Amino acid sequence: MEYGNLLLSKIIDENNVQALTKFGITAKDLATEGDRQTLRFIADYAEANRGQAPSYAVVTAECPTFEYTPQVGDSYEYMAKVIKEHSAKLQIMKLVNPSTDDKVADKRSLFEKKFQELDGNKFTDWLISEAERIRINTNISSKVGTDLKADASSFLDEYRKRKNGESFKVWNSKFMGINEQIGGYLSGNLYTWYGRSGRGKSVFTMEEAIEAAMQGANVLIWAMEMSRFEWMARAYSSISARVSGTTETIDGVNYEVGFENKALLMGNLSEGYEAGLEQFLSQMNEIVPGNITVRAVDDDDFYSRGVKQLEADILQTKADVVVVDPIYYLDYEANTSKTAGGDVANTSKKLRHLAGYTKSVIHVITQAEEVRDDTDEEGNREIRPPKRAEIKKTKAVLEDAANTFGIDTLDGRGIIEIGKGRSGGEGTQVEVLYLPNIGIVREMETGMAAAAQFNF
């Protein structure tokens, strides 16, 4: 049975050309050139006649192949679904075998051309992209959005799931000031960290990643400017500081410290500390309840760095928390808008969608402009987190983020400033004790302890 003819007949009978728009039916969805001609005529007629459909007599006269069927009882939704399903198969056939389309002069399929032109991984990416495009173009939805009244019961169901911790998750920050202001990191959201070069962006997000893993999260790190060994050394230094119990006195203050990061990087720990390192590493399963997977710049298989690959990695690792360090080393999406920064904007939107789709927390890092007003009259640098206006080129990640965090560090101190808060907290600053070389990056204590920690 030809559902294109049936659908068009129902549209004529009920004077309902809007059904084509509602269900996204276009000429390319129909199987025959006759049906495509008929649809185009009906659409053109409606455009010229204030949305009215032509009579079946006029359509029959103008479109010789059209076979009118009166009083079609099937629903628009059902017929559109059948048409779209057939259209999906037809588009795949044309992709693989262009001989099914008489308008194509070059009978080599696009599939064959891409197979010959691209390497295996790029060809696979292209094929997945084409399949996704066809799926999106041939999908129909019987319902738009959520009805605030009719769907109240579904809200209650979701509320109960959240109450029981079933449908979403909050991963607490290592820094209590952030938890107090934003309530922790909510699954499905994008969070942006920014700072000037060399001020600790990677360290702060690493600390948040480790904190999530300590809460049982599966964590995925895309470290695109740091080697695997360097990231692991920093992580082991931080984790060991949480559990070591080793105390050192620095400038008159006692700290529980981890393995010295520089000594790990240079391979020159003392003999006693090397034995401690081996024991520490053998107990990682007991120390860290969650999992951390690192993809680093020197990994041989880390050549595809687009959002699609990130999605695949999230699904494979079942990641709850993701760090993209930094966003400007991603393979950006195409600049379909042809505007300045359009590639970054499209990538940011895809990341925001990816966080929602995978129900993960995604932390992204970007860089702030260097400034001249962070020094005093004597030329000494002062600690000052950057403002949102100072972000380099990737401003879209600020707009798409649930929260943004500007950071700065200086002489053992750090500041995290909430630059944007969907639920408030803008301008709030969290003071941090910043000694990453011995694994210490934590919020300052209040009172006398905090005062003593400023005496470096």
Side-chain angles (χ1 to χ4, degrees):
M1 185 177 291
E2 179 47 62
Y3 281 92
N5 253 312
L6 293 178
L7 177 70
L8 296 174
S9 295
K10 187 178 180 76
I11 285 171
I12 293 168
D13 263 358
E14 298 186 357
N15 190 22
N16 186 12
V17 181
Q18 290 76 22
L20 294 174
T21 302
K22 180 179 179 181
F23 294 101
I25 302 296
T26 64
K28 68 179 181 181
D29 290 315
L30 303 182
T32 68
E33 179 55 35
D35 284 349
R36 293 191 285 270
Q37 178 193 1
T38 304
L39 185 148
R40 285 191 290 264
F41 174 75
I42 292 173
D44 290 344
Y45 182 96
E47 186 175 351
N49 292 275
R50 299 183 178 181
Q52 300 298 303
S55 68
Y56 80 89
V58 170
V59 177
T60 302
E62 293 292 333
C63 306
T65 62
F66 176 64
E67 297 179 6
Y68 172 67
T69 304
Q71 299 180 336
V72 175
D74 296 294
S75 69
Y76 288 114
E77 182 180 353
Y78 172 74
M79 289 187 288
K81 182 174 181 291
V82 173
I83 289 169
K84 286 288 190 178
E85 287 174 350
H86 183 70
S87 176
K89 291 182 178 180
L90 196 64
Q91 290 183 52
I92 291 172
M93 287 175 62
K94 288 180 179 179
L95 187 69
V96 177
N97 181 14
S99 63
T100 58
D101 188 349
D102 294 335
K103 293 182 179 180
V104 178
D106 186 351
K107 295 306 178 183
R108 277 194 314 151
S109 71
L110 186 59
F111 180 93
E112 182 182 353
K113 293 175 190 174
K114 293 292 184 181
F115 185 82
Q116 292 172 350
E117 293 171 2
L118 303 175
D119 65 40
N121 289 291
K122 289 183 178 178
F123 174 75
T124 302
D125 289 343
W126 171 81
L127 194 58
I128 292 171
S129 175
E130 285 296 300
E132 179 69 7
R133 178 186 61 79
I134 292 172
R135 186 190 68 80
I136 292 172
N137 289 341
T138 56
N139 183 49
I140 69 164
S141 175
S142 60
K143 184 172 180 290
V144 176
T146 300
D147 188 314
L148 200 63
K149 294 184 292 184
D151 294 325
S153 60
S154 65
F155 175 86
L156 192 57
D157 289 341
E158 176 67 12
Y159 172 83
R160 287 168 178 155
K161 288 179 181 177
R162 291 189 172 210
K163 183 178 179 180
N164 296 328
E166 295 174 4
S167 72
F168 87 120
K169 180 72 176 178
V170 174
W171 303 100
N172 286 326
S173 170
K174 186 179 183 181
F175 309 101
M176 189 54 63
I178 290 178
N179 293 323
E180 290 171 353
Q181 291 299 320
I182 71 172
Y185 302 116
L186 180 63
S187 61
N189 279 339
L190 181 72
Y191 298 90
T192 298
W193 296 73
Y194 53 98
R196 289 176 280 278
S197 180
R199 304 294 173 84
K201 301 182 294 295
S202 297
V203 171
F204 280 110
T205 50
M206 180 196 73
E207 291 291 342
E208 296 292 51
I210 293 171
E211 184 67 22
M214 297 299 283
Q215 297 168 49
N218 291 324
V219 178
L220 173 65
I221 308 294
W222 268 29
M224 291 178 286
E225 60 178 359
M226 196 182 307
S227 72
R228 181 194 318 117
F229 187 82
E230 183 181 357
W231 201 95
M232 293 174 73
R234 285 185 176 184
Y236 289 147
S237 179
S238 173
I239 296 169
S240 61
R242 300 170 186 238
V243 299
S244 72
T246 301
T247 302
E248 289 188 13
T249 302
I250 303 175
D251 293 326
V253 181
N254 293 329
Y255 299 101
E256 290 187 1
V257 302
F259 296 105
E260 186 186 354
N261 180 55
K262 290 180 181 178
L264 289 174
L265 288 174
M266 300 302 295
N268 61 4
L269 287 174
S270 68
E271 187 174 331
Y273 273 108
E274 282 187 359
L277 177 63
E278 291 181 11
Q279 182 179 4
F280 165 73
L281 295 179
S282 70
Q283 296 174 342
M284 284 296 291
N285 282 334
E286 291 75 33
I287 295 170
V288 182
N291 300 289
I292 301 177
T293 302
V294 182
R295 301 204 74 180
V297 66
D298 58 341
D299 287 350
D300 292 338
D301 62 346
F302 195 22
Y303 41 79
S304 180
R305 300 178 184 180
V307 176
K308 277 290 182 185
Q309 182 61 53
L310 181 61
E311 178 183 352
D313 286 358
I314 291 173
L315 296 176
Q316 185 171 345
T317 61
K318 299 180 180 178
D320 302 297
V321 175
V322 181
V323 175
V324 178
D325 180 14
I327 186 175
Y328 45 84
Y329 281 170
L330 277 178
D331 296 333
Y332 285 157
E333 296 291 303
N335 186 357
T336 53
S337 66
K338 307 299 181 184
T339 59
D343 50 355
V344 184
N346 283 347
T347 303
S348 179
K349 288 176 185 176
K350 288 288 182 70
L351 287 173
R352 175 66 188 88
H353 172 75
L354 182 60
Y357 160 60
T358 59
K359 292 183 171 58
S360 60
V361 168
I362 300 182
H363 295 281
V364 299
I365 292 174
T366 190
Q367 193 156 318
E369 298 279 1
E370 298 297 328
V371 294
R372 296 180 180 178
D373 64 346
D374 60 349
T375 56
D376 60 22
E377 295 178 354
E378 298 177 355
N380 299 312
R381 189 170 80 79
E382 298 178 324
I383 192 166
R384 184 181 78 76
K387 304 301 180 183
R388 281 186 283 175
E390 296 167 20
I391 300 306
K392 273 187 175 182
K393 300 179 182 178
T394 53
K395 295 183 185 297
V397 292
L398 301 181
E399 298 168 4
D400 295 324
N403 294 93
T404 65
F405 306 98
I407 65 100
D408 197 12
T409 57
L410 178 67
D411 297 334
R413 293 178 57 206
I415 294 287
I416 303 172
E417 182 174 302
I418 301 177
K420 166 192 171 183
R422 189 179 291 165
S423 302
E426 289 191 23
T428 299
Q429 290 190 343
V430 177
E431 293 190 80
V432 176
L433 177 63
Y434 187 78
L435 301 170
N437 190 48
I438 51 175
I440 298 176
V441 180
R442 64 169 183 254
E443 190 165 347
M444 286 280 194
E445 299 174 15
T446 57
M448 294 301 293
Q453 289 167 350
F454 280 100
N455 296 325
F456 294 111

